[in-house]
Amino acid sequence: MSVTHDLEIKTMKAIIQRVTKASVTVGEDQISSIGRGLCVLLGISVEDTQKDVDYMVRKILNLRLFEDENGRAWSRSVMDKELEVLCVSQFTLQCILKGNKPDYHSAMPAELSQPFYNNMLEQMRETYKPELIKDGQFGAMMQVHIQNDGPVTIQLESPAAPTDPKLLSKQEKQQQRKEKTRSKGPSESSREKAALRSKADPSASSGAEGDVSSEREP
Amino acid sequence: MSVTHDLEIKTMKAIIQRVTKASVTVGEDQISSIGRGLCVLLGISVEDTQKDVDYMVRKILNLRLFEDENGRAWSRSVMDKELEVLCVSQFTLQCILKGNKPDYHSAMPAELSQPFYNNMLEQMRETYKPELIKDGQFGAMMQVHIQNDGPVTIQLESPAAPTDPKLLSKQEKQQQRKEKTRSKGPSESSREKAALRSKADPSASSGAEGDVSSEREP
C-alpha cells in the first residue's frame, strides 16, 4: 500500500538568498533587477491557501538577515533597511524525487498558481513599498542572475510548525481572529497540518507509484 | 516542557541550482568558477555522518536536471552531460527561526564541519572527475555569483525518507551491508531517524528556549 504521498504535507517553499544585486533576463532582455536585498525563489504547492501567503509574506519581509548600523549580524530585515526584493516563481521547489528523477505533481498547476502568485506579490507590495518588490516573468524560460552575499541562504516552509512552535500558536490565534471576522478562511488549520505531519510515516510506503513524472518544464 | 528541539531531526541540506555559469569572489579576487552545471549550497548539521555524505554525493551527481539530446527535460544528470559542480559550504541552511531571528545551533561547528566538508568534496571528486568539482573558500566572506538557468532550484535533505521511501529502504540495506564490513558506521539508522521524525510533535512545545541566537556570521 502506497499511502505516504497522500498523507504527505505540502507547503509553500521559498529559498531566500541575501544578495548584493540580482536580475532576470529573458533571451537578450533584462526584464527586472534589484540592488541589495533578497532574491526569493518561491514554490507554491497544490494545497497552499491564503494562510500560507500571509505567513510567507510576513517572514520574507521581517526575517533578520542583515546587520545593523553597528555591524551586528542577524539584526535587521529587508524592510528595516529599505532594501529590495526580487521574487521569482519556482515550481521545481515542489519536487518529489522518484529515484533520481524529479516529479512535480505537488506543484500548483500554472493556471492556478499564476493568479495565486500575483496576489501574493500584490500583498507583499501593499505590506512594504510597491516600488521595492520586483518580479520575474511567470512561466518564461529565465536566467536569474544572483549575487549571493555571504553567502546567506535560508529555506522557508509554511507553516513554520516544526521549527517555530511559539510562532505557530501565535499564528493560529491570529488566524482564528481573522476567521471570525471574514468568511473566506482556509479549510484546514496549522494544527491539523501539524497533526498530519506527525502521522505521516515515510517507512510505511513501498513507493509503488513508479517512475511517473510531470513533464512540466521551467 | 520544550522537547521539540531535542527530538527534531537534523539532516544535511543542499540547495541545488542549475546554472549557465557560477563563480565565487572573495574581495576583488575570483577564486573559483564553472560554466554549465550545478551550484550547490551545502548546510551540514551537528548530527550528520558518512551516511549523509554518501546520500548527498550520490544525489547531487545523479539528479536528472538536464535535458537529453532530443530536448527532453529532466533526463540527464550533471555527470551524464559532463558538466561542472560548484559546491559552497552554507551553514545558514541549518537555520531555525526564533520568531524572525535565525538561530544556527543546529549547524555543525566550523572546526568540525571544515574537515567533514573537505572529505565530502574529495568523495565527490573521486566519484566523478576531480577537475569538474569546484569549491568556495571555507568560512570566508564570499560573493557567490549564480546564473540560475530556468530557473531550476531543488532542495535536498538527507536521508530522503519523506520524499523517497523506496530509496530509503534500498539505502538502509546498503548501509547494513556496509556496517557488517566495517566498524565505523554511524550511530543511528535512517529508520530510527524516520521514527523520531514521525514522533516529533511541533505543537507540544512551548518554544520556551527564548531568543538565544548564535552570533555566527557567514
Side-chain angles (χ1 to χ4, degrees):
Chain A
M1 289 239 305
S2 175
V3 293
T4 302
H5 285 295
D6 299 329
L7 273 177
E8 199 167 280
I9 307 303
K10 296 171 184 73
T11 58
M12 195 184 291
K13 294 180 180 180
I15 302 299
I16 300 177
Q17 296 179 80
R18 189 178 75 181
V19 299
T20 309
K21 62 182 180 182
S23 62
V24 178
T25 54
V26 176
E28 297 297 301
D29 302 325
Q30 179 175 297
I31 62 162
S32 196
S33 73
I34 63 167
R36 278 188 75 205
L38 300 176
C39 177
V40 178
L41 297 164
L42 193 81
I44 300 165
S45 87
V46 287
E47 291 178 7
D48 290 338
T49 67
Q50 180 60 37
K51 183 188 289 191
D52 301 279
V53 173
D54 292 344
Y55 173 82
M56 206 54 99
V57 168
R58 197 169 61 243
K59 282 290 144 189
I60 291 167
L61 294 177
N62 289 293
L63 265 180
R64 296 196 238 160
L65 299 181
F66 299 90
E67 55 183 35
D68 67 12
E69 48 288 357
N70 301 316
R72 196 180 132 99
W74 321 116
S75 299
R76 294 288 182 263
S77 70
V78 72
M79 281 207 296
D80 290 336
K81 303 203 67 157
E82 301 203 329
L83 302 175
E84 295 181 279
V85 180
L86 173 64
C87 195
V88 178
S89 175
Q90 177 73 99
F91 73 86
T92 65
L93 290 175
Q94 294 293 338
C95 168
I96 292 175
L97 288 184
K98 311 277 187 177
N100 291 310
K101 191 162 185 177
D103 175 289
Y104 300 113
H105 286 103
S106 294
M108 190 184 279
E111 64 274 20
L112 296 173
S113 61
Q114 183 159 16
F116 190 97
Y117 172 71
N118 285 337
N119 170 58
M120 178 163 167
L121 278 173
E122 203 44 51
Q123 187 167 328
M124 217 181 289
R125 290 184 173 118
E126 279 170 23
T127 312
Y128 187 24
K129 295 181 176 181
E131 68 277 17
L132 298 182
I133 307 288
K134 304 292 175 66
D135 189 6
Q137 182 176 322
F138 191 94
M141 183 72 190
M142 295 176 259
Q143 299 288 309
V144 185
H145 307 258
I146 299 159
Q147 185 171 335
N148 191 322
D149 173 36
V152 171
T153 310
I154 303 285
Q155 305 176 255
L156 273 189
E157 255 184 67
S158 68
T163 51
D164 195 353
K166 189 164 54 175
L167 185 86
L168 173 63
S169 79
K170 204 189 289 176
Q171 208 187 350
E172 276 175 44
K173 280 175 204 156
Q174 283 176 350
Q175 190 56 41
Q176 282 158 8
R177 276 198 297 273
K178 273 187 209 161
E179 282 169 353
K180 279 180 191 164
T181 54
R182 57 170 192 180
S183 57
K184 60 159 195 165
S187 58
E188 52 176 3
S189 73
S190 300
R191 193 174 296 276
E192 279 167 317
K193 276 200 183 183
L196 266 176
R197 192 191 303 268
S198 68
K199 265 187 262 172
D201 178 7
S203 61
S205 165
S206 67
E209 287 189 21
D211 196 33
V212 181
S213 298
S214 162
E215 294 307 312
R216 198 164 161 189
E217 299 188 24
Chain B
M1 288 237 307
S2 177
V3 294
T4 302
H5 285 295
D6 300 329
L7 275 176
E8 199 167 279
I9 308 302
K10 297 171 183 74
T11 59
M12 196 184 290
K13 294 181 180 181
I15 303 300
I16 301 177
Q17 295 179 79
R18 189 178 75 180
V19 298
T20 309
K21 62 183 181 181
S23 62
V24 178
T25 54
V26 175
E28 298 296 303
D29 301 324
Q30 178 176 298
I31 62 162
S32 195
S33 73
I34 63 168
R36 279 189 75 204
L38 301 176
C39 177
V40 179
L41 297 164
L42 193 80
I44 300 166
S45 86
V46 287
E47 291 177 7
D48 290 338
T49 66
Q50 181 60 37
K51 184 189 290 192
D52 301 280
V53 173
D54 292 346
Y55 173 82
M56 207 53 99
V57 167
R58 196 170 61 244
K59 281 290 144 189
I60 292 167
L61 295 177
N62 289 293
L63 265 181
R64 296 196 239 159
L65 299 181
F66 298 90
E67 55 183 32
D68 67 12
E69 48 288 359
N70 301 316
R72 197 180 131 100
W74 322 116
S75 298
R76 293 287 182 265
S77 71
V78 72
M79 281 207 295
D80 291 336
K81 303 203 66 155
E82 301 203 329
L83 301 175
E84 295 181 280
V85 179
L86 174 64
C87 194
V88 178
S89 176
Q90 177 72 99
F91 74 85
T92 64
L93 290 176
Q94 294 294 337
C95 168
I96 291 175
L97 289 184
K98 311 276 188 179
N100 292 310
K101 191 162 185 177
D103 175 290
Y104 301 114
H105 287 104
S106 294
M108 188 184 280
E111 64 274 20
L112 296 173
S113 62
Q114 183 159 17
F116 190 97
Y117 172 71
N118 285 337
N119 169 58
M120 179 162 167
L121 277 174
E122 203 45 52
Q123 185 167 330
M124 218 181 289
R125 291 185 172 117
E126 279 170 22
T127 312
Y128 187 23
K129 295 182 176 180
E131 69 276 16
L132 298 182
I133 306 288
K134 303 292 174 65
D135 189 8
Q137 182 176 322
F138 190 94
M141 183 70 190
M142 295 177 259
Q143 299 288 308
V144 185
H145 307 257
I146 298 158
Q147 185 172 335
N148 191 323
D149 173 36
V152 172
T153 310
I154 303 284
Q155 306 176 252
L156 273 191
E157 254 185 68
S158 68
T163 51
D164 195 353
K166 189 163 54 176
L167 185 86
L168 172 63
S169 79
K170 204 190 290 177
Q171 209 186 349
E172 276 175 44
K173 281 176 202 153
Q174 283 176 351
Q175 190 56 41
Q176 282 159 8
R177 277 198 296 274
K178 272 187 207 161
E179 282 170 352
K180 280 181 189 163
T181 55
R182 58 172 191 176
S183 57
K184 59 161 195 162
S187 59
E188 52 176 3
S189 73
S190 300
R191 194 175 295 277
E192 282 167 39
K193 277 199 182 183
L196 266 176
R197 192 191 302 268
S198 67
K199 263 188 266 175
D201 178 7
S203 62
S205 164
S206 68
E209 289 188 20
D211 196 33
V212 181
S213 299
S214 161
E215 293 307 313
R216 199 163 160 189
E217 297 188 27

